[in-house]
mmCIF file of all heavy atoms in Angstrom:
data_model
loop_
_atom_site.group_PDB
_atom_site.id
_atom_site.type_symbol
_atom_site.label_atom_id
_atom_site.label_comp_id
_atom_site.label_asym_id
_atom_site.label_seq_id
_atom_site.Cartn_x
_atom_site.Cartn_y
_atom_site.Cartn_z
ATOM 1 N N PRO K 252 -45.680 25.756 -31.802
ATOM 2 C CA PRO K 252 -45.816 27.086 -32.335
ATOM 3 C C PRO K 252 -44.710 28.036 -31.815
ATOM 4 O O PRO K 252 -44.164 28.885 -32.619
ATOM 5 C CB PRO K 252 -47.210 27.492 -31.791
ATOM 6 C CG PRO K 252 -47.939 26.208 -31.677
ATOM 7 C CD PRO K 252 -46.895 25.197 -31.109
ATOM 8 N N GLU K 253 -44.256 27.832 -30.551
ATOM 9 C CA GLU K 253 -43.241 28.777 -30.020
ATOM 10 C C GLU K 253 -41.883 28.500 -30.737
ATOM 11 O O GLU K 253 -41.155 29.378 -30.997
ATOM 12 C CB GLU K 253 -43.111 28.498 -28.498
ATOM 13 C CG GLU K 253 -44.272 28.982 -27.759
ATOM 14 C CD GLU K 253 -45.380 27.962 -27.526
ATOM 15 O OE1 GLU K 253 -45.266 26.804 -28.112
ATOM 16 O OE2 GLU K 253 -46.315 28.214 -26.820
ATOM 17 N N SER K 254 -41.566 27.217 -31.010
ATOM 18 C CA SER K 254 -40.260 26.925 -31.604
ATOM 19 C C SER K 254 -40.284 27.397 -33.060
ATOM 20 O O SER K 254 -39.269 27.860 -33.586
ATOM 21 C CB SER K 254 -39.865 25.396 -31.573
ATOM 22 O OG SER K 254 -40.759 24.633 -32.440
ATOM 23 N N THR K 255 -41.461 27.299 -33.722
ATOM 24 C CA THR K 255 -41.559 27.892 -35.061
ATOM 25 C C THR K 255 -41.380 29.305 -35.107
ATOM 26 O O THR K 255 -40.710 29.854 -35.952
ATOM 27 C CB THR K 255 -42.962 27.457 -35.734
ATOM 28 O OG1 THR K 255 -43.094 26.047 -35.695
ATOM 29 C CG2 THR K 255 -43.146 27.936 -37.176
ATOM 30 N N ALA K 256 -41.975 30.042 -34.127
ATOM 31 C CA ALA K 256 -41.887 31.455 -34.042
ATOM 32 C C ALA K 256 -40.422 31.852 -33.738
ATOM 33 O O ALA K 256 -39.898 32.880 -34.237
ATOM 34 C CB ALA K 256 -42.789 32.040 -32.983
ATOM 35 N N LEU K 257 -39.733 31.112 -32.805
ATOM 36 C CA LEU K 257 -38.362 31.368 -32.480
ATOM 37 C C LEU K 257 -37.532 31.192 -33.700
ATOM 38 O O LEU K 257 -36.582 32.017 -33.973
ATOM 39 C CB LEU K 257 -37.877 30.486 -31.276
ATOM 40 C CG LEU K 257 -36.388 30.551 -30.922
ATOM 41 C CD1 LEU K 257 -36.016 32.025 -30.590
ATOM 42 C CD2 LEU K 257 -36.064 29.614 -29.807
ATOM 43 N N ALA K 258 -37.646 30.170 -34.413
ATOM 44 C CA ALA K 258 -36.787 29.904 -35.660
ATOM 45 C C ALA K 258 -37.029 31.063 -36.625
ATOM 46 O O ALA K 258 -36.080 31.569 -37.167
ATOM 47 C CB ALA K 258 -37.204 28.577 -36.302
ATOM 48 N N LYS K 259 -38.284 31.464 -36.792
ATOM 49 C CA LYS K 259 -38.530 32.619 -37.720
ATOM 50 C C LYS K 259 -37.830 33.859 -37.252
ATOM 51 O O LYS K 259 -37.309 34.649 -38.092
ATOM 52 C CB LYS K 259 -40.047 32.845 -37.896
ATOM 53 C CG LYS K 259 -40.730 31.733 -38.814
ATOM 54 C CD LYS K 259 -42.171 32.031 -38.917
ATOM 55 C CE LYS K 259 -42.877 31.034 -39.711
ATOM 56 N NZ LYS K 259 -44.262 31.208 -39.834
ATOM 57 N N ALA K 260 -37.954 34.130 -35.960
ATOM 58 C CA ALA K 260 -37.375 35.388 -35.431
ATOM 59 C C ALA K 260 -35.790 35.355 -35.604
ATOM 60 O O ALA K 260 -35.179 36.307 -35.876
ATOM 61 C CB ALA K 260 -37.733 35.494 -33.934
ATOM 62 N N LEU K 261 -35.190 34.140 -35.357
ATOM 63 C CA LEU K 261 -33.751 34.118 -35.499
ATOM 64 C C LEU K 261 -33.360 34.238 -36.919
ATOM 65 O O LEU K 261 -32.371 34.941 -37.205
ATOM 66 C CB LEU K 261 -33.244 32.728 -34.881
ATOM 67 C CG LEU K 261 -33.308 32.565 -33.323
ATOM 68 C CD1 LEU K 261 -33.117 31.135 -32.928
ATOM 69 C CD2 LEU K 261 -32.194 33.501 -32.743
ATOM 70 N N LYS K 262 -34.067 33.586 -37.787
ATOM 71 C CA LYS K 262 -33.775 33.737 -39.258
ATOM 72 C C LYS K 262 -33.923 35.151 -39.719
ATOM 73 O O LYS K 262 -33.075 35.689 -40.464
ATOM 74 C CB LYS K 262 -34.708 32.830 -40.052
ATOM 75 C CG LYS K 262 -34.279 31.292 -40.030
ATOM 76 C CD LYS K 262 -35.154 30.477 -40.880
ATOM 77 C CE LYS K 262 -34.740 29.071 -40.792
ATOM 78 N NZ LYS K 262 -35.615 28.175 -41.614
ATOM 79 N N LYS K 263 -34.966 35.812 -39.268
ATOM 80 C CA LYS K 263 -35.220 37.243 -39.678
ATOM 81 C C LYS K 263 -34.039 38.061 -39.134
ATOM 82 O O LYS K 263 -33.733 39.091 -39.767
ATOM 83 C CB LYS K 263 -36.505 37.666 -39.048
ATOM 84 C CG LYS K 263 -36.918 39.148 -39.506
ATOM 85 C CD LYS K 263 -38.257 39.486 -38.936
ATOM 86 C CE LYS K 263 -38.580 40.936 -39.406
ATOM 87 N NZ LYS K 263 -39.876 41.430 -38.745
ATOM 88 N N ALA K 264 -33.455 37.715 -38.062
ATOM 89 C CA ALA K 264 -32.324 38.469 -37.488
ATOM 90 C C ALA K 264 -31.034 38.141 -38.194
ATOM 91 O O ALA K 264 -29.955 38.693 -37.785
ATOM 92 C CB ALA K 264 -32.218 38.159 -35.976
ATOM 93 N N GLY K 265 -31.084 37.156 -39.074
ATOM 94 C CA GLY K 265 -29.795 36.771 -39.814
ATOM 95 C C GLY K 265 -29.066 35.612 -39.338
ATOM 96 O O GLY K 265 -28.014 35.225 -39.748
#
Side-chain angles (χ1 to χ4, degrees):
E253 293 89 356
S254 74
T255 300
L257 175 57
K259 285 181 183 177
L261 288 167
K262 284 182 183 180
K263 184 176 180 184

